[in-house]
Amino acid sequence: MIISTGTASGKSLAYLTPAITSCLDGGTVLYLTPTKALAADQLRGLRELRLTQVRAACFDGDTPFEERTWVRQHANYVLTNPDMLHRGILPRHAQWSSFFRRLRMVVVDECHGYRGVFGSHVAQILRRLRRVCSRYGSRPTFLLASATASEPGAFAMRLTGLEMDEVTVDTSPKGSTTVALWEPPLTELRGEGGAPVRRTATAEAADLLADLVLADVRTLAFVRSRRGAETVALTARAKLADVAFSLPYTPHPSQPTPHPSERPPLLSDPTPREHTPHPAQPTTGRPVNSTTDGSLDIFDGTSTATAMGTGAAPSSSFDPSSDTTPGPNPATGPSSGTGRGFAAAAAPTEAHPPSPLTWALPDPSDLATLPDKVAAYRAGYLAEDRRVLEKALRDGTLMGLATTNALELGVDVSGLDAVLIAGWPGTRASLWQQAGRAGRDGQDALAVLIARDDPLDTYLVHHPQALFGQPVEAIVLDPDNPYVLGPHLCAAAAEIPLTDDDLPIFGPTTSDVLASLVADGLLRRRPAGWFWTRRERATDLADIRGGGGAPIQVVESSTGRLLGSVDEPSAHTTVHTGAIYLHQGETFLVELLDLEAGVALVSSANPDYSTFARDITDISILATQRSTSLGPGTLHFGEVEVTRQVVSYLKRRLQSGEMLGDEPLDLPPRTLRTRAVWWTLPASAVAPLAEADIDLGGAAHAAEHASIGLLPLFATCDRWDIGGVSTELHADTGLLTVFVYDGHEGGAGFAERGYARAVDWLTATREAIMSCECERGCPSCIQSPKCGNGNNPLDKRGAIRLLNTLLTQH
């Protein structure tokens, strides 16, 4: 069974009831979650029930070794994650024999998180789990839960290999959520090729987070990276510290300060309403959309509007044509330098009607503690530190938390008023998951999507119809990927020798993959089946969350202190020599990356810039699996070999994004066999473009960048999960060719999804380029932060003409 209903709709109760019943009847339950935070949160909820017959315990990397034996022997409700199931439970199934014999139910919570290569690995882990259960005579019920799964029954069957019933009707009560689409302003700074630079999404998020905390609004800010989360928290704390030491507290004479218990709830008017632009708000910016759903108010605009989508009126001193507000306003709070008015609304007047968002500044005695009300939360922290942060957010000690997607999935942080999302999170599913963190007790909420300087983010703030009223994306995973299936067949054979009867469990390609494993000497075939005969652990063959290779240890050179680790493929881009590395609020400069020793030496630093690695890529076609006509050109899907090499890194000023330099690197190339979608145009189709003095290489390059940026709208992926190559004349095709490929060994299904929806995808790409207000191209349309060629050549006008030619018949 899969339950696919909205956030805070009661899914936890739906699986807890039968799960606890199973425990009371003498059975056991296995609960799987993508994150440790969610498992710890579920354990807290179970213990609050005070049912002595339910012996619940977490079994993950944070569980002390002295407790693990007790969990194996006595727990009847075990909460864990796929990583521990893969490495710690299934390989030692004999030690869990009593638990497996009585296993009645397997709960797979937040299952939409199992997508792409990670999801493909989890699908095979679940098949191994079913096989171990059969060994001990149990056939547990699999109950899956997700707030944002498209075609839930089909997805759940692909994930588990079992027939599935689905529950999708959601009648739970909900408050309304106001969603604001927020585009940061262009600055006077110039980037590569003289392109204008927008204010960064993290800088905007830090300002808004500080304003909201100052207004006593409990807020969660989702940031794309660990470094970004640390940066947002540090910047917001610094702004609040400035307030604490410099702002005189003066209540507005016409707006008395209410007692905290009398503060009105967020968005206290839940009824659908048309939004009329405020007289002081420019009406020539982005279109403002009225509500399309009784529980969802939708607003869209630029950062020149104050408190966009919340009904808060600008202060009388606010100049809508400026990006700054002159001086602090006692009614709206301190100026953050960007003209945001979230702190409090101006006193009601005829021109400034009452706002449902009306807060007063904190009591003067609380100002000194303002910075302590903001913190960062991400993976890599110690378990006890994460639990302290979660508790502080629940009880109101923390008012603002900048986090990665570690808190996206199901953690009960009820009582939140607002969510900030710094950059498109990759999928509509993630967007609604993150927005759903606010308002979980049934109260109204605010969600703000802050656009990054990126083609997809720009497209979305200009085309809100791509977000609202649209189904979430289909979840893409490929359990039959031989690069995924092979290691898990080895792990299964090490657990229990494989037999012919086991082959249907693992999928139709199992026989071929087994033959390849035998030929490679990883398995040995005997009349009784297939056996693992090596001394090393078979589970080490499958790196279910990374790309393989031993992790790189990050060590402080002056003290020898181990700060953390980075997976080997990511080390080339995150801890290369000269990189800026953030850890728990501290900033470090990477002095040396030694790949052979597996260590990155760092030293404490306080630079005013961040770093971004760039690589160059070559691609060759191994096999074409499908082809179809597309206008005068041809669309292909097949297998390719990609050679990538990180060659340099950019330095950009933290707050402004200003380019400070491009430093060379000397790192070895990496080879990847994967799948790609590519399109070609014959010479007859591109000749008129060449005659019009269009740089064909620059046009193809620009179209490639923009199409990479837009593919995540049509495939459940992130921009950093895919790559691309373009050329005016490719050696294998002899034609102008643009490739977009999966960034995972063997492919992850993203390029295949692009092939299936090529017309919609490339049409959106063209529209994104055309709608950008820049003249020659910028990061919002055709420039890429990871381009190894320094975003040169690029031809914005040529890219539009090129895509028009390709889409002639559409």
Side-chain angles (χ1 to χ4, degrees):
M1 173 74 71
I2 179 169
I3 303 172
S4 183
T5 54
T7 54
S9 59
K11 294 185 296 297
S12 296
L13 184 62
Y15 62 68
L16 272 175
T17 304
I20 290 175
T21 302
S22 297
C23 294
L24 299 179
D25 290 342
T28 60
V29 173
L30 183 65
Y31 172 92
L32 288 175
T33 171
T35 66
K36 295 177 184 178
L38 182 52
D41 186 68
Q42 288 286 319
L43 179 62
R44 179 184 57 83
L46 281 165
R47 288 177 173 171
E48 287 176 353
L49 296 175
R50 299 186 181 278
L51 297 172
T52 56
Q53 302 98 317
V54 179
R55 299 181 299 278
C58 282
F59 192 85
D60 55 32
D62 294 338
T63 306
F65 282 95
E66 57 270 20
E67 293 182 17
R68 297 188 180 191
T69 300
W70 183 92
V71 176
R72 285 194 295 264
Q73 296 177 354
H74 302 291
N76 58 4
Y77 198 120
V78 173
L79 303 98
T80 188
N81 50 56
D83 311 73
M84 184 57 80
L85 184 61
H86 165 62
R87 292 184 175 275
I89 296 178
L90 293 178
R92 298 180 176 87
H93 59 84
Q95 299 176 6
W96 291 81
S97 57
S98 175
F99 180 86
F100 281 124
R101 286 192 184 97
R102 297 179 292 128
L103 187 59
R104 303 277 183 85
M105 180 176 289
V106 177
V107 178
V108 185
D109 202 2
E110 303 291 358
C111 60
H112 61 272
Y114 303 126
R115 60 178 184 253
V117 172
F118 177 49
S120 303
H121 279 292
V122 173
Q124 292 298 343
I125 292 170
L126 293 179
R127 285 158 174 77
R128 286 164 51 200
L129 171 62
R130 289 170 47 205
R131 181 168 172 264
V132 167
C133 290
S134 296
R135 168 70 177 264
Y136 293 99
S138 64
R139 294 189 60 187
T141 298
F142 280 73
L143 201 158
L144 284 68
S146 169
T148 49
S150 175
E151 302 176 351
F155 158 66
M157 184 169 66
R158 193 157 181 76
L159 184 66
T160 63
L162 297 168
E163 292 290 333
M164 282 282 161
D165 286 331
E166 60 182 41
V167 174
T168 57
V169 179
D170 183 357
T171 59
S172 60
K174 288 183 176 64
S176 65
T177 298
T178 295
V179 179
L181 304 183
W182 189 286
E183 184 175 45
L186 289 169
T187 67
E188 296 180 356
L189 299 171
R190 290 293 179 264
E192 292 180 321
V197 175
R198 288 195 186 277
R199 196 161 187 267
T200 64
T202 51
E204 295 280 289
D207 281 353
L208 291 173
L209 181 60
D211 286 348
L212 287 163
V213 169
L214 191 62
D216 199 29
V217 181
R218 200 174 303 179
T219 306
L220 203 58
F222 284 103
V223 191
R224 298 294 305 275
S225 67
R226 297 181 181 184
R227 177 171 60 185
E230 298 272 9
T231 300
V232 167
L234 285 171
T235 306
R237 287 170 64 94
K239 289 181 179 295
L240 291 172
D242 290 342
V243 171
F245 289 105
S246 65
L247 178 70
Y249 178 76
T250 307
H252 194 277
S254 61
Q255 183 181 345
T257 303
H259 187 273
S261 64
E262 298 172 349
R263 178 172 67 84
L266 184 68
L267 299 174
S268 56
D269 175 15
T271 57
R273 58 188 182 276
E274 291 289 321
H275 175 74
T276 303
H278 188 273
Q281 177 181 320
T283 57
T284 57
R286 309 287 172 260
V288 178
N289 298 278
S290 62
T291 178
T292 60
D293 187 315
S295 63
L296 185 68
D297 290 337
I298 305 164
F299 297 96
D300 169 36
T302 65
S303 63
T304 54
T306 305
M308 185 60 93
T310 64
S315 68
S316 57
S317 63
F318 176 69
D319 177 6
S321 65
S322 171
D323 188 44
T324 60
T325 303
N329 183 304
T332 60
S335 169
S336 63
T338 57
R340 313 304 181 269
F342 272 106
T349 66
E350 184 177 348
H352 293 70
S355 164
L357 280 184
T358 304
W359 297 292
L361 289 172
D363 186 272
S365 61
D366 294 336
L367 288 176
T369 63
L370 276 175
D372 297 330
K373 294 188 176 183
V374 175
Y377 181 104
R378 63 172 177 82
Y381 285 179
L382 296 177
E384 52 267 30
D385 293 338
R386 294 198 301 269
R387 301 296 92 81
V388 167
L389 288 169
E390 293 160 17
K391 182 178 183 298
L393 187 63
R394 279 194 299 270
D395 62 25
T397 306
L398 277 177
M399 293 301 296
L401 196 62
T403 178
T404 60
N405 60 1
L407 285 180
E408 175 183 319
L409 302 175
V411 176
D412 183 12
V413 283
S414 56
L416 291 180
D417 299 313
V419 166
L420 304 175
I421 304 170
W424 171 245
T427 63
R428 283 185 290 267
S430 288
L431 175 70
W432 301 129
Q433 280 289 141
Q434 293 180 6
R437 294 307 94 196
R440 287 180 64 86
D441 273 346
Q443 75 268 44
D444 299 336
L446 168 69
V448 184
L449 173 62
I450 306 167
R452 291 176 303 157
D453 217 357
D454 179 89
L456 180 52
D457 291 43
T458 302
Y459 177 83
L460 291 173
V461 297
H462 286 260
H463 300 80
Q465 67 273 16
L467 290 178
F468 305 108
Q470 298 291 329
V472 296
E473 303 85 353
I475 301 175
V476 178
L477 68 155
D478 182 14
D480 299 326
N481 180 340
Y483 294 92
V484 171
L485 177 57
H488 288 286
L489 289 175
C490 291
E495 291 155 8
I496 306 167
L498 286 164
T499 66
D500 288 326
D501 293 339
D502 296 324
L503 303 192
I505 295 177
F506 293 98
T509 62
T510 304
S511 297
D512 294 339
V513 174
L514 280 173
S516 175
L517 294 172
V518 171
D520 292 341
L522 293 172
L523 293 181
R524 185 172 297 173
R525 179 71 191 271
R526 290 288 182 264
W530 289 264
F531 293 78
W532 173 259
T533 58
R534 297 196 171 191
R535 291 184 176 180
E536 52 266 40
R537 289 164 50 95
T539 52
D540 291 341
L541 295 176
D543 183 7
I544 70 173
R545 293 185 190 256
I552 302 297
Q553 306 298 319
V554 182
V555 177
E556 188 173 19
S557 58
S558 59
T559 64
R561 176 169 60 122
L562 177 63
L563 299 178
S565 62
V566 178
D567 60 276
E568 194 271 338
S570 298
H572 288 235
T573 57
T574 58
V575 289
H576 56 76
T577 301
I580 300 301
Y581 179 78
L582 289 180
H583 179 75
Q584 293 190 356
E586 295 183 74
T587 305
F588 297 89
L589 176 68
V590 180
E591 298 175 344
L592 175 68
L593 170 61
D594 189 333
L595 293 172
E596 291 185 5
V599 64
L601 297 177
V602 303
S603 60
S604 182
N606 190 28
D608 64 346
Y609 62 87
S610 56
T611 54
F612 300 85
R614 330 179 80 155
D615 57 32
I616 56 173
T617 307
D618 290 322
I619 192 167
S620 59
I621 299 171
L622 300 179
T624 302
Q625 297 177 349
R626 277 171 258 164
S627 298
T628 187
S629 297
L630 184 61
T634 308
L635 184 74
H636 306 271
F637 171 74
E639 296 181 14
V640 296
E641 184 173 84
V642 180
T643 302
R644 297 177 55 200
Q645 184 176 17
V646 175
V647 294
S648 67
Y649 65 95
L650 295 178
K651 294 164 129 183
R652 285 184 179 164
R653 201 174 297 281
L654 280 175
Q655 290 300 314
S656 65
E658 179 186 2
M659 189 81 61
L660 299 178
D662 188 355
E663 303 293 334
L665 289 171
D666 183 19
L667 289 168
R670 300 177 58 84
T671 301
L672 174 74
R673 285 191 134 198
T674 185
R675 296 178 183 180
V677 54
W678 66 95
W679 51 268
T680 60
L681 279 173
S684 58
V686 298
L689 303 181
E691 293 171 0
D693 291 329
I694 286 175
D695 179 353
L696 293 178
H701 194 195
E704 171 222 327
H705 282 182
S707 60
I708 290 172
L710 268 291
L711 183 57
L713 192 61
F714 302 91
T716 310
C717 67
D718 183 81
R719 178 175 187 146
W720 300 91
D721 289 327
I722 52 181
V725 176
S726 59
T727 175
E728 186 177 346
L729 187 67
H730 191 266
D732 293 337
T733 64
L735 303 169
L736 183 147
T737 311
V738 175
F739 294 87
V740 176
Y741 61 87
D742 292 348
H744 299 272
E745 193 74 30
F750 308 139
E752 188 171 13
R753 190 80 178 166
Y755 179 87
R757 300 199 59 190
V759 173
D760 294 338
W761 166 37
L762 295 173
T763 300
T765 300
R766 178 181 60 185
E767 291 179 2
I769 301 173
M770 293 174 64
S771 64
C772 186
E773 60 209 80
C774 71
E775 293 183 8
R776 301 178 57 190
C778 69
S780 294
C781 57
I782 61 173
Q783 289 191 354
S784 169
K786 57 179 183 174
C787 178
N789 297 321
N791 285 298
N792 184 50
L794 289 176
D795 187 337
K796 178 178 179 177
R797 182 175 65 93
I800 296 171
R801 291 280 301 272
L802 193 65
L803 290 168
N804 281 338
T805 302
L806 184 67
L807 299 168
T808 300
Q809 301 172 5
H810 302 279

